[in-house]
Amino acid sequence: MLNIAIIGAGRIGHVHAKTIASHPKARLALVCDPFGDAAEKLAGEYGARSCKEAEDVFTDPEVDAVVIGSPTPLHIPHLLAAARAGKAVLCEKPIALDMKDVIAAQAELDAITTPVMFGFNRRFDPNFAAVRTAVLNGRIGELEQLTIISRDPAAPPVEYIAVSGGIFRDMTIHDFDTARFFLGDIVEVFAAGQNLDPEIEKTGDFDAAVVTLRAASGAVATIINNRHCASGYDQRLEASGREGALFAENVRPTTVRLSNGEVTDAQEPYLDFFLERYADAYRIELSEFIEAVESASPTPTTIADAVEALRLAEAATESATTGKPVRLA
């Protein structure tokens, strides 16, 4: 049984708390959040203890591992403190808001010996994982094109967007990791940002974007993002190769279809919340983390993966701002 602490009792903290509490090999031991009674309330739902200071998590002898869901600027400091204390780490994306922060901590990050995994949960989605397995097994021949569609039902509050680091660091970061998962090294990034919501535009961010990534192999990935989607949480993937194509479609509450005098093959809207859509992914992600910790084997996602995803996010931000493609060294 792995005793796990969560830092951050916001939305992602609630997601992880639910997943940990329902896992047969995990126990939610401690919840930490400095604001109000957020930690106490979340901990109370699952019979865990609570605290306000992150240092109390790192010095707690009962805690084996830490899920870091604190604000992004604290990810590296909390990750390093947990590792120094000998705690395994599952850290939310992105690793930082600026690559300068990664570079400044690179020596310490490279010296970490405890297991550290990053929360790129799309890798663990059964549908996307099945597509990748089929690609690796040669079912469509050499992969030539990858299309990733990721649209949210609605944008988060403007106050959050203003401090999120921008759409490419906050939202597209998952898709950058997915593209690397399928294509390997990326050598060129071109991004076109869109301002469809005046309130989001005031923050200096985009609320929609289309990104093209060119891989070292010659394959190309297209990522389509939007902060709003009337039909729900639109999450699709297509892999196209010389000998065929693979499609991962949206998930709905049921597979029921209606045909009558007004509609044909009408279905329910897509699932409307990321926790519902990626519930299996979060469960599998946690299982993989626990397995890596218990078996002392490499984690399926790493600090290097997080750094490369951030590098792509920064390149996309530059490209969307300048209107020019960005070559990566």
Side-chain angles (χ1 to χ4, degrees):
M1 182 71 67
L2 197 69
N3 290 315
I4 302 176
I6 293 175
I7 300 178
R11 185 169 68 167
I12 197 64
H14 281 259
V15 171
H16 285 295
K18 183 176 182 179
T19 306
I20 292 167
S22 62
H23 198 286
K25 291 187 176 182
R27 172 178 168 268
L28 183 59
L30 184 63
V31 178
C32 176
D33 195 295
F35 299 108
D37 59 356
E40 184 179 359
K41 283 186 174 179
L42 181 56
E45 291 183 35
Y46 299 103
R49 294 177 291 115
S50 65
C51 66
K52 289 184 176 292
E53 300 298 330
E55 184 60 29
D56 293 338
V57 173
F58 309 135
T59 58
D60 193 315
E62 185 180 336
V63 172
D64 304 312
V66 181
V67 172
I68 298 175
S70 49
T72 300
L74 295 175
H75 284 182
I76 289 179
H78 285 168
L79 186 161
L80 292 173
R84 290 189 207 105
K87 318 288 189 186
V89 174
L90 173 57
C91 185
E92 271 302 322
K93 56 74 188 171
I95 187 171
L97 290 179
D98 196 310
M99 190 63 72
K100 293 178 182 177
D101 296 328
V102 176
I103 294 171
Q106 195 66 63
E108 288 183 275
L109 292 171
D110 290 343
I112 291 175
T113 57
T114 54
V116 175
M117 179 169 158
F118 270 81
F120 292 118
N121 63 70
R122 305 296 197 273
R123 293 195 184 202
F124 307 102
D125 175 71
N127 301 293
F128 296 166
V131 171
R132 183 172 182 269
T133 297
V135 169
L136 293 176
N137 289 339
R139 295 296 300 275
I140 60 170
E142 184 177 355
L143 182 59
E144 297 175 338
Q145 296 174 327
L146 181 72
T147 303
I148 302 168
I149 298 173
S150 180
R151 300 185 178 107
D152 287 352
V158 171
E159 294 77 13
Y160 169 82
I161 289 176
V163 297
S164 69
I167 190 171
F168 299 116
R169 292 175 180 85
D170 177 53
M171 182 178 178
T172 323
I173 198 95
H174 280 294
D175 306 313
F176 289 139
D177 182 71
T178 300
R180 289 188 63 251
F181 193 44
F182 275 81
L183 301 182
D185 292 336
I186 304 298
V187 297
E188 186 177 85
V189 179
F190 178 75
Q194 295 175 273
N195 289 120
L196 308 174
D197 184 330
E199 292 304 309
I200 293 178
E201 185 175 8
K202 290 177 184 177
T203 71
D205 193 16
F206 304 106
D207 53 314
V210 177
V211 183
T212 302
L213 306 175
R214 187 178 302 278
S217 66
V220 171
T222 302
I223 299 171
I224 302 171
N225 286 156
N226 201 318
R227 288 286 197 184
H228 60 266
C229 179
S231 51
Y233 197 41
D234 189 8
Q235 303 286 294
R236 288 174 281 158
L237 184 147
E238 174 193 313
S240 178
R242 187 175 299 274
E243 298 174 17
L246 295 154
F247 304 86
E249 302 294 346
N250 277 302
V251 178
R252 303 171 190 265
T254 71
T255 60
V256 174
R257 295 179 296 165
L258 169 66
S259 293
N260 59 21
E262 298 177 351
V263 296
T264 302
D265 281 345
Q267 295 180 268
E268 296 174 88
Y270 313 142
L271 293 177
D272 200 44
F273 186 48
F274 74 94
L275 177 56
E276 295 173 339
R277 169 60 182 83
Y278 287 110
D280 285 341
Y282 280 110
R283 176 182 54 79
I284 297 168
E285 175 187 76
L286 181 62
S287 293
E288 294 277 350
F289 174 64
I290 292 172
E291 172 61 25
V293 174
E294 291 183 340
S295 64
S297 56
T299 55
T301 60
T302 65
I303 292 173
D305 291 320
V307 171
E308 288 307 308
L310 179 60
R311 194 185 311 278
L312 293 178
E314 292 202 343
T317 302
E318 178 184 343
S319 177
T321 302
T322 64
K324 298 177 181 180
V326 174
R327 292 285 299 180
L328 300 177

